[in-house]
Amino acid sequence: MDRKEMVLNGRTALGIELGSTRIKAVLIGEDHSPIASGDYEWENQYENNIWTYSLDMVWKGLQESYRRLAEDVEKQYGVALETVGSIGFSAMMHGYMAFDKEGELLVPFRTWRNTMTGEAAEELTGIFRYNIPQRWSIAHLRQAILNKEEHVKDIDFLTTLSGYVHWKLTGEKVLGVGDASGMFPIDTDTKDFYDRMIEQFDELVAGENYPWKLRAILPKVLVAGEEAGKLTEEGAKLLDVSGKLKAGIPVCPPEGDAGTGMAATNSVAVRTGNVSAGTSVFAMIVLEKELSKVYPEIDLVTTPDGSLVGMVHCNNCTSDLNAWVNIFKEFMVTMGMEADMNKLFGALYNKALEGDKDCGGLMSYCYFSGEPVTGFEEGRPLFVRDIDCKFTLANFMRTHLYSSLAALKIGLDILFKEEKVQADEIFGHGGLFKTKGVGQGILAAAMDAPVSVMETAGEGGAWGIAVLAAYMKNKAEGETLSHYLNETVFAGNKGSKMEPVPGDVAGFDAFIKQYKAGFPIEKAAVENMGCMAAGD
């Protein structure tokens, strides 16, 4: 009855996140616990050498995930969902969405997965003296200019996927600072785009005589807690095609999936961090100070409230591991056995714990696509072993678990070993951590730092953006996001914690040494298996 009253009186918050494989909607109550949800699975398309999603797919997925959430509310509580206390929208970060004055998309949405802006990223990194990754919006814009693309002169608004959805539902051209930090570098003193770099970019393209200046086409940057507009009549009908959802609901700043991951794992304070491990993997460490120099392996982004974060983002994580588990499933089915995937994953992951600490002479590269952290523009999944290796199931599984985190470790070693960054605790979330104690322990070994996994981490970014929407509505005057998360949302829930085991740390270090030595093997696979398209 309490939850029914919350729904009827709008004492709730709604979060919707557009991830790379799923759009999820989560409704939370006053205690921030999920009370209803709905989701929709989708896939990116590879069209004309571009990884993309169509706008029709965006809206179909949003509407369907919301419809399923509303159905869940009606089924559980016997009432129609007509209003909520606040809303937030988030999506996969970065990419390129350029619109003209009429609000029409000029070229298909270019997602974070595209590695087509190398020339621009390298040029801008040199000019700004600040690492500009290939997937950032500004790298895409500069590359379009270098490619003499006709549409650039017509740009009126440049944004991310979360910024686009928010704009269409509220009429506001704004972006949360975390997602904005994947468009263009953020000055953490002003919590806004760097003025100096904006001027440098305008000077760089002055000869093109475009009718726009960079700042004019970028969204306004907001921090967590600020109101970012209200759901319009048109927006309410666009989200809820049944017409029951009322307009006027306050909406928080739209965020990227990295920011919602930080909120969902209570890792927005300095010296905390989180690792999201699924199809891709990224680590976010909240920094005490700027890094001593520019590293192409380290992105500098921000928390939803504007603190500096060192981010290591890798395109590949569990896809190859999952493919091998499916081979074992196929074997079981062939032998007439029932294949329960949860049991199969659990059994194989736990078997890995019996393996040699350095994997016993086995090696794999999980590169379904290019991996910028290790310098690969394309990838080929590859397994290789020494002739006198210890070829056991335990070592085989341990190798693929190590490989899933190997590129991430290479990037993090720069932060921890070269920059001496301190992290008191790391929170893990995502599919790699579903089997208790396995992925968590291996990540602790990779980072040589304690790793915690919370029960709420499984709720993911949709829950994280719902929490940010609740913070905007419910925070006390002057209350920081970190304080709100600690005292109101998590309230002592620290999750299960695993300390790094010295033998595992040494074993992973030995594995990484051999992993780096084997790069020429992976390079040869890329060069000689040319029948495969990059990313396939």
Side-chain angles (χ1 to χ4, degrees):
M1 287 302 294
D2 284 347
R3 288 183 168 186
K4 181 177 177 179
E5 288 298 316
M6 285 181 205
V7 171
L8 285 170
N9 296 321
R11 301 200 312 272
T12 54
L14 170 62
I16 303 182
E17 180 159 285
L18 297 93
S20 55
T21 58
R22 186 171 63 150
I23 300 173
K24 186 173 182 181
V26 172
L27 189 69
I28 63 174
E30 288 178 307
D31 64 351
H32 303 89
S33 295
I35 61 174
S37 66
D39 64 8
Y40 178 81
E41 291 191 1
W42 68 339
E43 274 188 49
N44 53 191
Q45 310 297 312
Y46 193 59
E47 297 174 355
N48 300 317
N49 299 318
I50 301 284
W51 289 105
T52 188
Y53 300 85
S54 72
L55 297 191
D56 286 344
M57 289 170 67
V58 170
W59 293 110
K60 181 183 178 184
L62 276 167
Q63 289 162 356
E64 191 62 17
S65 61
Y66 179 84
R67 184 186 69 77
R68 292 175 185 177
L69 172 110
E71 274 185 1
D72 190 29
V73 167
E74 197 142 6
K75 183 179 176 183
Q76 288 194 74
Y77 312 114
V79 295
L81 184 59
E82 295 183 356
T83 190
V84 297
S86 53
I87 305 181
F89 300 98
S90 59
M92 55 195 115
M93 287 178 75
H94 322 302
Y96 183 76
M97 298 190 84
F99 298 88
D100 65 16
K101 281 187 167 61
E102 282 69 50
E104 296 296 319
L105 189 66
L106 289 165
V107 289
F109 169 34
R110 297 170 183 176
T111 76
W112 60 271
R113 197 174 183 182
N114 291 287
T115 49
M116 54 195 282
T117 65
E119 182 185 0
E122 187 176 342
E123 178 195 45
L124 293 176
T125 296
I127 292 170
F128 295 158
R129 299 192 302 281
Y130 197 101
N131 185 35
I132 305 296
Q134 285 206 44
R135 64 188 177 279
W136 281 23
S137 308
I138 194 63
H140 278 280
L141 176 60
R142 178 56 180 158
Q143 193 65 52
I145 292 168
L146 291 171
N147 294 347
K148 307 290 185 189
E149 293 189 39
E150 188 65 24
H151 78 272
V152 177
K153 68 181 188 315
D154 299 318
I155 296 175
D156 184 66
F157 182 43
L158 187 64
T159 192
T160 64
L161 182 55
S162 77
Y164 163 69
V165 169
H166 183 96
W167 168 40
K168 289 299 177 184
L169 296 178
T170 66
E172 301 291 339
K173 294 180 176 179
V174 300
L175 200 59
V177 65
D179 205 4
S181 69
M183 290 193 77
F184 192 88
I186 293 289
D187 181 343
T188 53
D189 289 334
T190 64
K191 317 291 189 200
D192 199 357
F193 298 122
Y194 261 110
D195 282 328
R196 171 180 62 82
M197 296 181 199
I198 292 267
E199 290 168 8
Q200 286 175 310
F201 188 87
D202 284 337
E203 288 169 12
L204 180 65
V205 303
E208 306 289 346
N209 295 313
Y210 293 126
W212 49 261
K213 294 286 189 184
L214 181 58
R215 187 172 282 279
I217 63 171
L218 291 174
K220 181 183 178 184
V221 180
L222 299 175
V223 297
E226 293 187 84
E227 188 175 307
K230 289 183 167 61
L231 189 67
T232 62
E233 293 280 356
E234 182 185 10
K237 290 183 174 68
L238 191 53
L239 182 59
D240 179 13
V241 293
S242 76
K244 292 175 184 172
L245 186 64
K246 295 173 181 173
I249 300 166
V251 187
C252 74
E255 264 301 345
D257 51 2
T260 58
M262 285 186 268
T265 52
N266 192 20
S267 48
V268 301
V270 167
R271 290 171 68 112
T272 65
N274 79 90
V275 173
S276 172
T279 307
S280 61
V281 61
F282 57 80
M284 320 279 294
I285 311 296
V286 188
L287 303 176
E288 294 177 272
K289 62 181 189 302
E290 295 266 359
L291 300 181
S292 65
K293 62 180 182 180
V294 174
Y295 297 95
E297 301 89 349
I298 311 293
D299 304 356
L300 292 175
V301 292
T302 78
T303 62
D305 56 351
S307 296
L308 189 65
V309 173
M311 177 183 189
V312 180
H313 182 284
C314 305
N315 288 347
N316 303 279
C317 186
T318 59
S319 294
D320 193 39
L321 177 58
N322 294 344
W324 281 108
V325 174
N326 280 323
I327 288 288
F328 288 107
K329 173 195 172 186
E330 194 176 329
F331 165 75
M332 291 178 72
V333 171
T334 302
M335 294 296 290
M337 294 181 276
E338 185 183 343
D340 180 316
M341 291 307 286
N342 285 330
K343 284 184 180 176
L344 183 57
F345 269 104
L348 290 172
Y349 273 40
N350 278 295
K351 189 69 179 175
L353 300 181
E354 300 172 18
D356 292 296
K357 305 294 189 186
D358 62 356
C359 299
L362 281 61
M363 183 54 61
S364 81
Y365 297 89
C366 62
Y367 296 175
F368 267 62
S369 61
E371 192 53 80
V373 168
T374 52
F376 284 89
E377 292 186 7
E378 295 181 34
R380 303 288 183 270
L382 178 69
F383 173 71
V384 64
R385 61 192 176 100
D386 243 342
I387 52 173
D388 59 349
C389 69
K390 298 175 185 174
F391 191 37
T392 63
L393 178 59
N395 279 341
F396 183 81
M397 289 309 301
R398 194 177 188 101
T399 297
H400 284 91
L401 282 162
Y402 274 18
S403 175
S404 297
L405 296 173
L408 182 78
K409 176 174 170 56
I410 288 169
L412 286 173
D413 279 351
I414 294 170
L415 283 177
F416 294 141
K417 294 180 179 179
E418 295 185 34
E419 287 287 327
K420 310 299 183 189
V421 167
Q422 299 293 313
D424 297 327
E425 194 160 26
I426 306 295
F427 298 92
H429 57 116
L432 188 70
F433 305 106
K434 283 183 180 175
T435 300
K436 190 171 182 181
V438 181
Q440 185 179 0
I442 286 173
L443 178 62
M447 303 181 76
D448 195 11
V451 174
S452 295
V453 174
M454 294 185 180
E455 290 175 22
T456 49
E459 300 297 341
W463 182 73
I465 190 66
V467 166
L468 289 172
Y471 168 65
M472 174 195 72
K473 184 94 184 291
N474 302 327
K475 70 182 188 305
E477 188 174 347
E479 185 176 19
T480 65
L481 177 59
S482 180
H483 186 273
Y484 185 84
L485 291 175
N486 275 321
E487 303 302 322
T488 307
V489 180
F490 293 94
N493 173 17
K494 297 294 183 185
S496 62
K497 184 175 182 178
M498 287 186 75
E499 298 284 343
V501 176
D504 289 346
V505 174
F508 211 140
D509 281 342
F511 176 87
I512 284 294
K513 189 176 179 181
Q514 189 57 52
Y515 182 85
K516 291 177 179 176
F519 283 159
I521 311 170
E522 172 67 14
K523 185 179 179 186
V526 171
E527 290 172 352
N528 293 287
M529 295 186 73
C531 60
M532 298 171 65
D536 281 358

